[in-house]
Amino acid sequence: MHIDAAGAPRNWIHYETAVVDIRFPDRTVRVEPRPSGTAEGAFPAAADGATIHVVTAWNPLGRTASHRDNGRAQSRLLDELRRRGLPWWPAVGGDAGGAHREESVALVGLSDHAARDLGRRFHQDAIFAWTPRAWRLLACGTDAAAVRGWAAYGRIRPAGPGRR
């Protein structure tokens, strides 16, 4: 694992071990950090090889906020993504055991710099950047970063009413 954690936020260790579930139209994919150089599973075709950034507006600066405040902040984030016309998918990030979960979005169409800026504007410590080669943790307020490998496991969602 390559880490440049100078200036890393206080919750960095928790972010390094976080998992993210991304809900694509046909399946939900769980992304888990792995040792550098590992890429297990398939990178989502829906991203067309572009970096997928995972951003949330929940729990600004790593401090627990009320469900109501988190919902309002997340709504503002979604409004901004719609205004910009950025493609995104619903996501949930948190610990592997599921005790801590935060609504998030997985989006394409931003550079790392622009994605960090978006996270910073919503008072986030860090965001994730997923590419076919790496799973990266990027601090929003500094240049701190951790580069890891990844494993992605998908669960096909059954077709239901209104689904194709």
Side-chain angles (χ1 to χ4, degrees):
M1 165 180 22
H2 169 72
I3 299 175
D4 177 8
R10 65 183 171 88
N11 290 326
W12 192 254
I13 189 78
H14 299 294
Y15 305 141
E16 285 182 310
T17 59
V19 301
V20 175
D21 294 330
I22 303 171
R23 195 172 72 226
F24 294 100
D26 64 336
R27 68 185 63 224
T28 297
V29 174
R30 171 162 283 192
V31 185
E32 300 175 350
R34 290 288 191 267
S36 290
T38 303
E40 294 176 19
F43 189 77
D48 198 27
T51 300
I52 298 173
H53 290 97
V54 179
V55 180
T56 186
W58 278 48
N59 297 325
L61 300 176
R63 294 182 182 96
T64 303
S66 72
H67 188 73
R68 183 177 174 182
D69 288 344
N70 282 331
R72 286 180 181 158
Q74 193 71 9
S75 289
R76 287 192 306 274
L77 173 60
L78 296 178
D79 288 345
E80 178 154 341
L81 297 179
R82 288 182 191 110
R83 268 194 315 276
R84 290 186 185 192
L86 293 169
W88 62 274
W89 302 276
V92 176
D95 66 281
H100 178 82
R101 299 173 54 82
E102 297 184 1
E103 289 181 26
S104 304
V105 294
L107 59 127
V108 294
L110 294 177
S111 66
D112 287 349
H113 177 79
R116 279 176 151 159
D117 182 58
L118 181 63
R120 189 171 35 257
R121 288 190 18 248
F122 284 87
H123 308 289
Q124 295 302 301
D125 284 335
I127 61 165
F128 298 102
W130 184 24
T131 67
R133 301 178 71 122
W135 176 252
R136 295 175 293 135
L137 173 61
L138 307 174
C140 294
T142 69
D143 289 334
V147 179
R148 305 276 313 261
W150 55 266
Y153 303 98
R155 298 181 306 276
I156 295 175
R157 295 197 343 225
R163 284 205 169 141
R164 296 173 190 243

